Amino acid sequence: MRLPTRSLPGWSRFLELYCVAIFAMYVLIILLQPTVPSLTDYANWTYQGVLLRDHLLGLPDQVHALKPYPVPNSAATAGIGVLSLWMSWQMAAKLWLAAQLIFALVSIRLFLRAIGADRSVSILGAALFLNLNLWEGFINFQMGISWVLILAAVLLRRQNNLQTGRDWIVGALLLLTFLTHMLPFAFAGLLVILYCLQINRFRLLWQLVPSGLACIWYVAGRYLVGANEDGQAGMAESVRNYSAAFWAYKGNSYLKSLGFINPTYGGRSALVEWVGRGAFLLLFALNLVLAATLAWCIFSVLRRALFQKNAERFLWVGMVALLPIYAVAPVSLLGISDPGSRLLQLSLALGVLLCAARQTKPLAIAKGCALVLMTIDLAMFLHFAYGPEKSGSAGSPLPHAVLSFGHVFNHDQDYLVQALERGDRTRPIFATGVLLNRR
């Protein structure tokens, strides 16, 4: 049963404004706090941003070398490095993170406007940005999702308005996506190809050339100059590929993509200690309900969308094309940690927001669950992402799979921020950015 698009306008307006308020609170917290939040990999990108600034200023660096070729995973490093030419590195890191969150909200709203959907669904979009990716510091990947949403909005407007000019905008968006993260770039390229097939016009494919040449340059430089050091940067495989645990891991990748955050230290859940066993289980259950209702909504809309000749069909086809790759992708590949999970989240970003065009009762339930989780996540961000590392607790007896679900070690790389405060520029870094560790 479908709910009318205009049902409960006051509630829809509230959800839309509440989503904006949630993002605004994150931005205010980030800018007003004296320190950079502890968000795992973000410490590494901050460190690399300061190193890049030193290279731009011509300062000597005997430990790191600047790559002589374009690199996909470079947006945060470049942004922090350039900003820190005019301000402290702490303010540069905070400003870049705040700008990324604002950009995420803008991309959600632009996409919803392009499909003519109820913008109250932006609260579900927030669940795809204010989630483990944020806490793990996957800022470049997050920005890549935003570029994909903006590209999709541009392509939809072109089709709906029969626009054929300004092809260069598509080329520019592809190049920006390439410089942000390789997986969103590959997906963006696929969407452009599917769009051209859908409208039976192929002149737009020329816009793939600039980013394609940059990609070739990157691959050549990575293997001929960097000796594929980037490929050694993936995480250690925690499960054997294609074992029973591997398939359970894949299911878990979906369940933990929607906003359940569980700060964990020493294998113990600090969240249980903070909110108590009962509240922890309630949040756990809300996340399961959110995951189940979104899966039902996406599947029910997808069945019709693939066989209807509407403007969004190429997006649904692209989303479906990612799912089998997500299912079989190994835990680590080509220096990318958990690439399958990244592809799933790209697919979800489109699927969840596309469901907004067709209001259903389960979608309303999902909005309510997301609202609660986003509120708790904001409180946790202020409590756990600042200050010293909290001690974890096992709390009341719970299965290990529950206690460790959605875990994040958000203070894991604080040592790099501490090194910056000491003026230490000699620490090893991720090789997937614009800099290499000298051998």
Side-chain angles (χ1 to χ4, degrees), residues 107-165:
S107 68
I108 292 170
R109 293 173 69 86
L110 285 176
F111 183 80
L112 290 175
R113 181 182 300 174
I115 63 176
D118 180 0
R119 285 182 291 182
S120 67
V121 181
S122 55
I123 194 70
L124 296 175
L128 299 171
F129 282 96
L130 305 174
N131 60 3
L132 278 175
N133 283 330
L134 174 65
W135 285 73
E136 294 281 10
F138 298 159
I139 303 303
N140 292 323
F141 176 69
Q142 294 265 65
M143 183 170 285
I145 296 177
S146 292
W147 284 125
V148 167
L149 292 177
I150 292 175
L151 174 66
V154 168
L155 294 176
L156 286 171
R157 284 200 297 268
R158 285 173 60 92
Q159 183 172 354
N160 292 332
N161 300 328
L162 299 178
Q163 296 176 352
T164 56

Side-chain angles (χ1 to χ4, degrees), residues 27-37 42 46-47 49-50 53 76 79-100 386 417 420-421:
V27 169
L28 286 175
I29 290 171
I30 290 167
L31 294 179
L32 295 179
Q33 287 288 333
T35 60
V36 180
Y42 196 59
T46 300
Y47 192 84
V50 176
R53 179 202 64 185
I80 295 171
V82 171
L83 287 174
S84 61
L85 290 171
W86 294 283
M87 60 187 71
S88 68
W89 63 264
Q90 293 94 333
M91 180 54 68
K94 292 193 295 181
L95 190 60
W96 183 259
L97 182 60
Q100 192 275 324
Y386 293 93
V417 174
L420 286 176
E421 293 171 346

Side-chain angles (χ1 to χ4, degrees), residues 70-248:
V71 179
N73 214 358
S74 58
T77 302
I80 295 171
V82 171
L83 287 174
S84 61
L85 290 171
W86 294 283
M87 60 187 71
S88 68
W89 63 264
Q90 293 94 333
M91 180 54 68
K94 292 193 295 181
L95 190 60
W96 183 259
L97 182 60
Q100 192 275 324
L101 292 178
I102 295 172
F103 184 52
L105 179 61
V106 169
S107 68
I108 292 170
R109 293 173 69 86
L110 285 176
F111 183 80
L112 290 175
R113 181 182 300 174
I115 63 176
D118 180 0
R119 285 182 291 182
S120 67
V121 181
S122 55
I123 194 70
L124 296 175
L128 299 171
F129 282 96
L130 305 174
N131 60 3
L132 278 175
N133 283 330
L134 174 65
W135 285 73
E136 294 281 10
F138 298 159
I139 303 303
N140 292 323
F141 176 69
Q142 294 265 65
M143 183 170 285
I145 296 177
S146 292
W147 284 125
V148 167
L149 292 177
I150 292 175
L151 174 66
V154 168
L155 294 176
L156 286 171
R157 284 200 297 268
R158 285 173 60 92
Q159 183 172 354
N160 292 332
N161 300 328
L162 299 178
Q163 296 176 352
T164 56
R166 297 185 178 179
D167 289 355
W168 64 269
I169 295 177
V170 173
L173 288 172
L174 286 168
L175 190 57
L176 288 169
T177 310
F178 166 78
L179 293 172
T180 305
H181 198 279
M182 180 56 77
L183 291 182
F185 165 68
F187 186 44
L190 173 63
L191 292 181
V192 171
I193 294 171
L194 292 172
Y195 172 79
C196 291
L197 290 171
Q198 179 170 297
I199 66 172
N200 199 28
R201 297 175 187 168
F202 299 97
R203 188 182 69 178
L204 194 63
L205 292 178
W206 284 105
Q207 298 305 317
L208 287 165
V209 172
S211 53
L213 291 175
C215 188
I216 294 172
W217 187 3
Y218 161 67
V219 172
R222 170 172 168 167
Y223 287 93
L224 299 179
V225 178
N228 193 31
E229 187 173 343
D230 303 40
Q232 312 305 316
M235 70 178 186
E237 297 184 358
S238 55
V239 296
R240 184 167 58 88
N241 287 326
Y242 313 119
S243 63
F246 173 83
W247 302 116

